[in-house]
Amino acid sequence: MVRNGDAPAWRIALAGVVALAVMAGVLWAATQLPWLGLRMQWDGQGARVVSASGPAATIPPGTRIVRIEDVTLRGEDFTEEPDSSLLTYSAYAEFLSRQQTLFERMSSVRLRLHSPDAVFELEPGASRPLSSLPHEFWIQLAVGFFALLISAGVWAFRAHEPSARYLLLSGFATLIFAPFAGVYSTRELALPGELFRWLSDANFCGGCIYVGTMVAMLWHYPRPLGSARVSASVVGALVLWFFAQELGAFESMVVARRYPVFAALLGTFALSAVQYRVTRGDPVARASLSWFLLSWLLGSSLFAMITMVPQLFGVNTAALQGYGFLLFLLVYGGLAFGILRFRLFELGQWWFRTFAWILGALLLFAVDLAVAAWFALPQGQSLALALLVCGFLYLPLRGLLWTRLIAARRVEQPDLFKRVIQIAFAPTAEASTQGWHALCRELFDPLHVQPYAGAYEQVSLDSDGLRLSVPAIGSIDGLALSYAARGRRLFAPRDRELLQQAVDMLRYVDESRAAYSRGASAERTRIARDLHDDLGSRLLTGLHQPRLEQTKASITLALAEMRTIIRGLSGDKLKLDSLLAELRHETRARLDAAGILLEWPLDEPGMGDAELSYAAYKHYLSIMRELVSNVVRHAGASTVKVAVHLDGMHLISEVTDDGVGFAADANEGHGMPNLRQRLRELGGSIGYRRKPRGTEVRVRIALEG
């Protein structure tokens, strides 16, 4: 008993067994024939030998064979496909009779082949070796094999769908008509008459079923158009047509074997138009239909145009038929992806590009033939003129159609970034949200834009391309965009990539704006702190001083603090020599007010073009002021010496007084904790040592802070 989970594998395996059995039978029929070792081609006067091997190895290539034994050869004896060159069933019957006669002669123990000036005798081989079968035979065999396997692979997983069942039937039909045609179209010269009839009629029967399934599939796929009896009736009608021509209901082979095929093809075009209409508003169904048209109708229609249409005008296309079967691999490969809904996202562009390419090739071929026929130009000149016509007329027209009908509107990177900047720096969160919605609508023209609360961090492509899910970005909520281009197409990977770029840009700008806001807030906090702690305290101190001189000194310090804060607002680096000059002047004024002598040389060595950042200068200034304040308040000194010099990218400052000095364990009372905190922020250090009279303090800070 077969389990449900194993059913698809068993179905595909069964189809493979059937395909191998048919291939084995076809190989047996192709090889169990007398072998001459000749490849001949009719040139109007006889059968010219193209190549010779095996039993006929002694016959020179180029020899013209006009008679085999007592049978004079005719051009129709070399017909590869009777349907393409024989107009009536009477001619078909005569052709089969001559095939039987020629086969009997080929079956002789010794065979004589007559050319206009020589007679060649050979002993035909009992069977035809596989190596003598031409490429066309193997192509048709492979087409039949893969057609059944691919269609069975779809049916195995979609057995409940009518479209998959009809696809399986078409694959079986291809397994019949393609390999069977390979046997008689690649024969050396003749087959038994009845075998030829049976193979040719089976080929036509398979073709009838094949075109019938085309109509039936479009009746059900991608949208069912009505009762299933209609599709079954179409296939049944074509099978009945086959039996009618077998029973002699027609005399014309063109009417009997070409008209039903073309009628079915026209039916597929009509049903395609109906399906295209009923699938509007359903991008998945529309994409599936487009893939169907690209694969099935394109491959089948091209095969019909190449091999069948010219036959209506008396052109023998049998030589193209073997290679033309390669188009059916395109058919079944495309249908497998289409029915299983694989790789539909880039369909619109590929569909147009493929049809445009094929149309260009056909146009070039048609123009070349027309120019050669009408103006009697040599082949090279006619081809050159055809290339000019296609280059100057067709290619610009194709580009115009691509731009107007297919190509999606593209947004250049600078324009996209500009729009994102405007969204990120909108004055309100509501304005940012509205701007983001407007950009999404402009890029994709979705039918629906709805809030989305998913946990995704990246843009995701969902529901076979029906929806793009956009994550939240800062204050902007997530979105779900549905049905691109107002429902006329699916979202594609390129759409996801474009929107992901916009999301990444917006996140980057939003984070940069947030960092800017944090920096601005920190700067405002710093300014407020400096105004409160430094300028405010100086002014408050001056307000409560009992003596005018002390008030002036406090106001002077407050003005210095104000200049320092103003300089910090500019954000520029400050010249070290100018700052030291101002600090020297301020320090001298403070010490003079306290009756203390300052020794600070006017020219510090090595200052050059050294600069300090505002942060470094602000802390350095506060440290130096704190050191001077300690001297004034606690040292009892009469003289203060200051020496400043550079040590690489570090500023070294030494402040020495001749006061009473202080002990190491008394430092905390002299404002040292605050001073050490500033030095830690600067990455600097401080050291002090007691001298016989007074104290020396050494401060080291980095210029960059």
Side-chain angles (χ1 to χ4, degrees):
M1 182 175 180
V2 178
R3 299 192 305 271
N4 289 336
D6 297 333
W10 280 102
R11 291 168 181 167
I12 297 173
L14 179 60
V17 170
V18 172
L20 290 174
V22 172
M23 290 177 61
V26 168
L27 285 171
W28 182 86
T31 55
Q32 297 306 307
L33 298 171
W35 179 48
L36 304 180
L38 286 175
R39 183 182 174 192
M40 297 182 289
Q41 189 176 52
W42 184 258
D43 64 0
Q45 298 179 355
R48 182 172 56 85
V49 176
V50 177
S51 62
S53 60
T58 58
I59 302 178
T63 301
R64 183 178 292 111
I65 305 298
V66 297
R67 193 170 73 252
I68 295 181
E69 292 292 348
D70 58 338
V71 182
T72 301
L73 296 178
R74 300 177 185 175
E76 57 265 27
D77 295 330
F78 296 88
T79 297
E80 294 183 10
E81 178 55 69
D83 296 353
S84 67
S85 56
L86 303 178
L87 302 180
T88 64
Y89 279 92
S90 299
Y92 182 42
E94 182 181 355
F95 167 78
L96 294 176
S97 176
R98 285 185 59 81
Q99 282 288 300
Q100 179 65 34
T101 301
L102 288 170
F103 176 76
E104 292 173 355
R105 300 299 185 271
M106 290 173 58
S107 302
S108 303
V109 176
R110 295 192 63 83
L111 182 65
R112 289 180 297 177
L113 285 73
H114 299 264
S115 71
D117 51 7
V119 177
F120 301 94
E121 290 191 7
L122 53 88
E123 296 181 6
S127 61
R128 187 177 184 182
L130 289 175
S131 59
S132 67
L133 295 172
H135 298 120
E136 299 92 322
F137 174 84
W138 298 106
I139 288 174
Q140 294 174 75
L141 202 66
V143 167
F145 178 77
F146 286 109
L148 182 60
L149 278 191
I150 292 174
S151 60
V154 175
W155 167 77
F157 295 94
R158 297 286 190 272
H160 62 283
E161 296 183 10
S163 57
R165 293 196 290 269
Y166 281 114
L167 178 61
L168 176 66
L169 182 58
S170 73
F172 184 77
T174 306
L175 180 66
I176 299 301
F177 73 73
F180 283 21
V183 175
Y184 62 76
S185 64
T186 61
R187 69 191 186 279
E188 276 194 308
L189 179 60
L191 294 177
E194 283 303 313
L195 176 62
F196 203 128
R197 178 189 291 276
W198 188 83
L199 292 172
S200 178
D201 291 356
N203 168 265
F204 176 59
C205 180
C208 286
I209 296 174
Y210 177 82
V211 294
T213 57
M214 290 177 64
V215 178
M217 271 198 66
L218 275 171
W219 185 259
H220 293 281
Y221 182 78
R223 288 280 189 85
L225 300 179
S227 173
R229 295 179 180 179
V230 175
S231 56
S233 299
V234 171
V235 178
L238 286 167
V239 173
L240 289 176
W241 183 282
F242 165 76
F243 283 112
Q245 63 87 35
E246 285 291 297
L247 295 174
F250 307 96
E251 173 58 22
S252 171
M253 289 192 73
V254 175
V255 172
R257 295 200 172 184
R258 290 294 173 256
Y259 282 9
V261 174
F262 287 116
L265 284 175
L266 292 176
T268 60
F269 290 127
L271 289 178
S272 298
V274 175
Q275 285 281 9
Y276 195 83
R277 180 177 178 81
V278 300
T279 55
R280 66 181 183 274
D282 186 349
V284 173
R286 178 65 63 83
S288 301
L289 174 65
S290 301
W291 191 266
F292 179 91
L293 297 178
L294 174 65
S295 55
W296 189 306
L297 289 183
L298 177 62
S300 302
S301 300
L302 281 178
F303 182 81
M305 292 172 61
I306 292 173
T307 63
M308 296 182 181
V309 172
Q311 296 169 14
L312 299 177
F313 303 96
V315 178
N316 188 349
T317 60
L320 299 175
Q321 178 169 292
Y323 292 101
F325 277 99
L326 284 172
L327 292 169
F328 289 99
L329 287 182
L330 168 66
V331 169
Y332 286 97
L335 284 180
F337 288 119
I339 292 182
L340 294 176
R341 291 182 177 178
F342 287 164
R343 299 185 182 180
L344 295 177
F345 300 129
E346 296 292 342
L347 176 60
Q349 295 187 19
W350 283 110
W351 189 36
F352 179 87
R353 288 172 178 169
T354 303
F355 274 96
W357 180 83
I358 293 173
L359 180 61
L362 293 177
L363 179 63
L364 177 63
F365 179 71
V367 172
D368 185 33
L369 288 180
V371 170
W374 293 343
F375 301 102
L377 294 177
Q379 181 178 3
Q381 296 181 15
S382 65
L383 178 60
L385 185 57
L387 287 172
L388 287 175
V389 171
C390 292
F392 285 101
L393 295 180
Y394 169 72
L395 293 180
L397 178 62
R398 185 188 69 172
L400 178 63
L401 292 175
W402 171 263
T403 303
R404 295 293 180 88
L405 302 179
I406 303 298
R409 289 175 293 179
R410 290 186 174 272
V411 179
E412 298 296 332
Q413 290 286 345
D415 295 334
L416 182 61
F417 191 71
K418 181 179 179 181
R419 292 291 301 276
V420 169
I421 290 291
Q422 293 172 348
I423 293 169
F425 285 92
T428 64
E430 182 180 357
S432 295
T433 300
Q434 292 176 354
W436 181 243
H437 288 197
L439 177 61
C440 291
R441 290 186 182 278
E442 180 180 336
L443 291 176
F444 309 113
D445 193 20
L447 195 61
H448 302 297
V449 178
Q450 299 172 329
Y452 173 72
Y456 293 117
E457 292 295 326
Q458 303 291 322
V459 178
S460 64
L461 194 60
D462 306 325
S463 304
D464 291 329
L466 286 176
R467 187 178 71 177
L468 271 182
S469 298
V470 188
I473 312 164
S475 62
I476 302 175
D477 294 333
L479 293 177
L481 312 179
S482 304
Y483 301 101
R486 311 299 295 177
R488 294 189 298 273
R489 70 176 181 89
L490 297 174
F491 285 107
R494 68 182 184 280
D495 298 326
R496 183 188 61 78
E497 293 169 2
L498 175 61
L499 191 55
Q500 186 62 55
Q501 289 181 1
V503 168
D504 292 341
M505 287 181 184
L506 186 55
R507 281 177 175 164
Y508 175 78
V509 175
D510 191 61
E511 291 171 359
S512 300
R513 182 182 59 81
Y516 172 81
S517 298
R518 290 192 298 269
S521 177
E523 185 68 7
R524 286 192 295 268
T525 301
R526 180 192 63 78
I527 294 173
R529 184 192 65 192
D530 290 348
L531 289 174
H532 178 271
D533 294 348
D534 297 330
L535 183 59
S537 63
R538 298 295 182 187
L539 292 175
L540 187 61
T541 300
L543 181 63
H544 294 283
Q545 289 292 338
R547 294 163 49 189
L548 180 60
E549 291 79 7
Q550 294 174 335
T551 301
K552 289 181 178 180
S554 296
I555 293 175
T556 300
L557 288 176
L559 291 173
E561 290 288 353
M562 184 175 66
R563 286 195 298 270
T564 301
I565 294 172
I566 292 173
R567 282 175 175 168
L569 293 176
S570 67
D572 297 331
K573 289 187 176 182
L574 308 176
K575 288 290 187 180
L576 182 57
D577 53 359
S578 298
L579 297 176
L580 291 177
E582 292 184 6
L583 180 59
R584 183 190 304 109
H585 177 74
E586 174 191 322
T587 303
R588 186 179 300 279
R590 293 180 62 194
L591 292 177
D592 286 347
I596 301 173
L597 178 65
L598 173 65
E599 295 182 6
W600 189 340
L602 294 178
D603 296 324
E604 286 83 3
M607 291 296 109
D609 296 326
E611 295 177 332
L612 275 178
S613 66
Y614 171 74
Y617 171 69
K618 184 67 176 64
H619 285 306
Y620 176 68
L621 185 61
S622 297
I623 292 169
M624 295 297 289
R625 285 173 177 169
E626 181 65 27
L627 293 177
V628 172
S629 296
N630 285 340
V631 171
V632 172
R633 294 169 185 167
H634 308 291
S638 61
T639 303
V640 173
K641 296 180 180 179
V642 178
V644 180
H645 65 276
L646 288 177
D647 180 11
M649 294 300 294
H650 289 80
L651 180 65
I652 309 298
S653 302
E654 297 174 348
V655 179
T656 306
D657 66 78
D658 58 356
V660 298
F662 56 89
D665 55 1
N667 291 342
E668 303 305 322
H670 295 171
M672 296 303 291
N674 183 45
L675 195 147
R676 288 197 182 96
Q677 175 62 31
R678 292 184 180 276
L679 286 170
R680 278 196 295 270
E681 294 182 16
L682 289 177
S685 62
I686 186 171
Y688 54 88
R689 69 186 178 88
R690 188 171 180 177
K691 303 179 67 175
R693 180 167 178 78
T695 304
E696 179 184 277
V697 181
R698 191 173 189 270
V699 176
R700 176 186 178 91
I701 66 169
L703 294 179
E704 295 296 328

